[in-house]
Amino acid sequence: MDKAEEIRKLVAAGQYTLSKHAEREREADRITIEELEKALAGCEVIEDCPDDPRGASFLALGFAGSRPVHAVCALKQDPGELLLITVYDPSKSPERWAEGFRRRRT
């Protein structure tokens, strides 16, 4: 199962946790839990960060209607849970993103 499929499965089962930072960012960007779950239900993994000093993670992009949502995630093997490290709306910084919020501008 690829990472996007794993995200969809865990979100559908309610097996995910938001870090304190993710919760603050979600609230700051006014992303509802419903929007977050909808975006993650159809997400794609757009960056892989296996060597992140904080632990292996990846960036997922999904849409709640037309609203893009980015989530930096980590898969916890025990007990099989998704950790949302941060969550934000990349359309609030369009100068940083290209290709439909899939690539960072250099």
Side-chain angles (χ1 to χ4, degrees):
M1 179 178 316
D2 73 14
K3 289 177 184 161
E5 289 176 50
E6 188 72 14
I7 291 170
R8 291 190 281 271
K9 181 185 100 173
L10 292 170
V11 169
Q15 293 177 269
Y16 68 91
T17 315
L18 282 89
S19 70
K20 288 180 183 179
H21 176 75
E23 187 61 31
R24 280 193 306 273
E25 292 297 309
R26 183 189 69 78
E27 288 176 356
D29 282 359
R30 297 182 180 201
I31 300 168
T32 66
I33 293 295
E34 292 79 19
E35 288 174 315
L36 176 60
E37 289 180 348
K38 182 175 184 176
L40 292 175
C43 73
E44 61 184 282
V45 173
I46 60 172
E47 288 182 11
D48 199 14
C49 307
D51 300 321
D52 188 314
R54 299 167 293 184
S57 63
F58 50 90
L59 177 61
L61 166 66
F63 290 86
S66 61
R67 183 180 200 183
V69 176
H70 276 175
V72 176
C73 308
L75 290 169
K76 296 168 67 175
Q77 297 305 314
D78 186 32
E81 184 174 72
L82 180 68
L83 173 62
L84 301 174
I85 298 165
T86 192
V87 174
Y88 59 93
D89 180 342
S91 70
K92 295 191 180 255
S93 300
E95 71 283 356
R96 297 180 65 197
W97 298 97
E99 298 178 36
F101 307 104
R102 286 173 176 80
R103 298 278 178 254
R104 293 179 194 270
R105 292 186 193 271
T106 54

